[in-house]
Amino acid sequence: MYAQERQQLILDRARLNGRVDVAALADEFAVTMETIRRDLTVLEQHGVLRRVHGGAIPAERLGFEAAVETREGVMTSEKDRIAKAALEQLPADGGTILLDAGTTTARLAALLPPESEITVVTHSVGIAMTLATRANLTVMLVGGRLRGRTLASVDAWALHALSDTYVDVAFIGTNGFSVARGLTTPDSAEAMVKRAAMSAARRSVLLADHTKAGNDQFARFGALADLDVLITDSALDADLATEIAAAGPQVITV
């Protein structure tokens, strides 16, 4: 097993169980504890884990929200597959979509077909910049206070703009989702904008890899029943996928 593969498995276990233990990981992967400590150091440098005595805890459990550049390097192949599958949810003939701020929605923005003639509403500066030179698209950038950690517009200006907006499909990102808590994110200002984005759409599609499952955050912005579709990767637990589908949305795994 390559170090990167082992580190991804360590991160998955930390997010699933709330923490990981150095000695237990060394036994599981048949490597030295020093090797595991180096793995934890790498993951901490990427901002996804925080070292504690004897192990590590997922950064989000400590109320830490990773910056965009950190999240872009996590679960990249899964996010690419999810974004590609999301293309099937675009309006058939033109229309209007909303792209929420997020690293998976940003991948979808980059994949929009060159021939698409659609209006894209977004409160993400990064997504707007990606699409700004696409002559076939009409890009509507929602204003407001810019959060440096996510490069997303939030607060009253953004909420006011979205209250007067109606789109065919909203593609939403999240930091966590679960049957019990619904859709959650660490920041309450981001949560309000995500809620407004979903309210502005005829259909809402959540793009989220399996590590977001059960990873409940501080601020709730919707229920699973508010979604029409969840697109996630094939590592999502099958029983959990069935529970989520029973709560309302179609579940697509890729």
Side-chain angles (χ1 to χ4, degrees):
M1 180 182 294
Y2 292 112
Q4 292 90 342
E5 294 174 308
R6 186 175 59 247
Q7 289 159 14
Q8 183 61 61
L9 290 172
I10 291 171
L11 178 59
D12 289 347
R13 280 161 177 70
R15 285 172 166 165
L16 179 64
N17 300 320
R19 67 166 292 147
V20 287
D21 178 80
V22 170
L25 289 172
D27 286 342
E28 178 180 354
F29 294 112
V31 296
T32 67
M33 288 194 291
E34 185 56 37
T35 296
I36 295 298
R37 292 189 185 99
R38 286 196 295 269
D39 288 337
L40 297 182
T41 297
V42 169
L43 292 167
E44 185 173 46
Q45 289 171 344
H46 283 127
V48 293
L49 288 185
R50 284 292 178 269
R51 297 286 300 276
V52 296
H53 180 69
I57 293 173
E60 53 267 23
R61 296 294 185 190
L62 303 177
F64 176 84
E65 184 181 6
V68 172
E69 58 269 22
T70 297
R71 291 184 286 115
E72 283 177 343
V74 177
M75 304 295 289
T76 54
S77 62
E78 289 84 356
K79 291 175 180 178
D80 287 338
R81 297 199 306 272
I82 291 167
K84 185 175 181 180
L87 293 172
E88 298 296 324
Q89 304 297 321
L90 292 173
D93 298 307
T96 305
I97 67 171
L98 186 150
L99 294 180
D100 183 24
T103 54
T104 311
T105 50
R107 282 170 161 78
L108 172 58
L111 290 175
L112 289 178
E115 68 277 7
S116 293
E117 294 185 359
I118 58 177
T119 296
V120 180
V121 179
T122 186
H123 64 114
S124 164
V125 172
I127 288 175
M129 291 296 291
T130 295
L131 301 177
T133 59
R134 298 277 295 274
N136 56 309
L137 300 178
T138 300
V139 181
M140 306 295 292
L141 177 60
V142 175
R145 176 176 65 87
L146 187 64
R147 287 195 73 220
R149 187 161 292 279
T150 59
L151 299 180
S153 298
V154 296
D155 290 346
W157 284 4
L159 295 175
H160 179 73
L162 290 172
S163 69
D164 291 330
T165 299
Y166 186 67
V167 300
D168 294 304
V169 186
F171 294 94
I172 304 296
T174 190
N175 296 80
F177 65 91
S178 68
V179 175
R181 285 274 293 157
L183 315 174
T184 55
T185 194
D187 184 79
S188 58
E190 295 259 10
M192 287 188 286
V193 173
K194 289 176 181 292
R195 187 180 303 117
M198 293 173 65
S199 296
R202 183 171 60 86
R203 300 176 65 248
S204 294
V205 179
L206 183 69
L207 310 182
D209 66 75
H210 78 279
T211 64
K212 309 294 177 59
N215 187 18
D216 295 332
Q217 300 290 313
F218 172 71
R220 185 175 186 268
F221 63 89
L224 292 175
D226 297 326
L227 298 171
D228 294 280
V229 179
L230 163 64
I231 305 179
T232 187
D233 63 272
S234 55
L236 182 71
D237 179 79
D239 290 337
L240 178 56
T242 300
E243 287 186 58
I244 293 170
Q250 176 189 6
V251 178
I252 299 173
T253 57
V254 293

